[in-house]
């Protein structure tokens, strides 16, 4: 199976959809910023109704799986996900 790249914008969209579903609001009410730190790895800051929520790597992976299930034909359970920091693309994910 070939690797499929998920862009930084699609990861942000996945987080917005995931949090909107959890909080029963529209995705447009969620703002997300992806972050990478050499010590802590991948994370995200989400803002919902002016409240900040910090998401760790596991939350990002969970959101991508939710997005794969609701927006694509890819089986989220079978998908092996890998986050990567790319110099040109930013934070991306690969589905194996």
């Amino acid at each position: 199976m070939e690797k499929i790249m998920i862009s930084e914008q699609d990861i942000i969209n996945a987080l917005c959809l995931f949090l909107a579903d959890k909080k029963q609001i529209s995705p447009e009410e969620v703002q997300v910023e992806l972050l990478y730190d050499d010590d802590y790895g991948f994370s995200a800051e989400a803002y919902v109704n002016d409240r900040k929520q910090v998401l760790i790597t596991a939350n990002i992976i969970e959101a991508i799986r939710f997005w794969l299930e609701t927006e694509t034909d890819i089986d989220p359970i079978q998908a092996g996900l890998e986050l990567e920091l790319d110099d040109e693309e930013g934070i991306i994910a690969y589905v194996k």
Side-chain angles (χ1 to χ4, degrees):
M1 181 180 193
E2 67 183 71
K3 280 183 169 182
I4 299 167
M5 186 187 90
I6 299 173
S7 71
E8 183 171 272
Q9 186 60 55
D10 282 339
I11 296 171
I12 290 169
N13 293 346
L15 284 160
C16 290
L17 286 171
F18 178 71
L19 291 171
D21 184 69
K22 292 276 187 216
K23 298 185 182 297
Q24 298 297 299
I25 59 174
S26 75
E28 291 80 18
E29 295 178 68
V30 182
Q31 293 181 333
V32 173
E33 181 180 354
L34 296 176
L35 305 166
Y36 179 79
D37 181 89
D38 286 335
D39 294 328
Y40 299 108
F42 298 98
S43 63
E45 289 182 351
Y47 296 89
V48 179
N49 298 326
D50 295 327
R51 297 191 73 197
K52 181 171 120 174
Q53 181 177 352
V54 176
L55 305 164
I56 61 172
T57 302
N59 302 125
I60 298 170
I61 296 294
E62 185 180 8
I64 294 171
R65 288 191 191 285
F66 176 81
W67 179 79
L68 289 173
E69 181 176 27
T70 60
E71 303 294 318
T72 72
D73 295 342
I74 300 169
D75 181 358
I77 305 302
Q78 297 292 325
L81 295 172
E82 180 182 317
L83 293 174
E84 190 173 294
L85 182 62
D86 185 88
D87 290 339
E88 293 177 16
E89 302 288 332
I91 296 172
I92 57 174
Y94 285 105
V95 179
K96 297 180 192 177

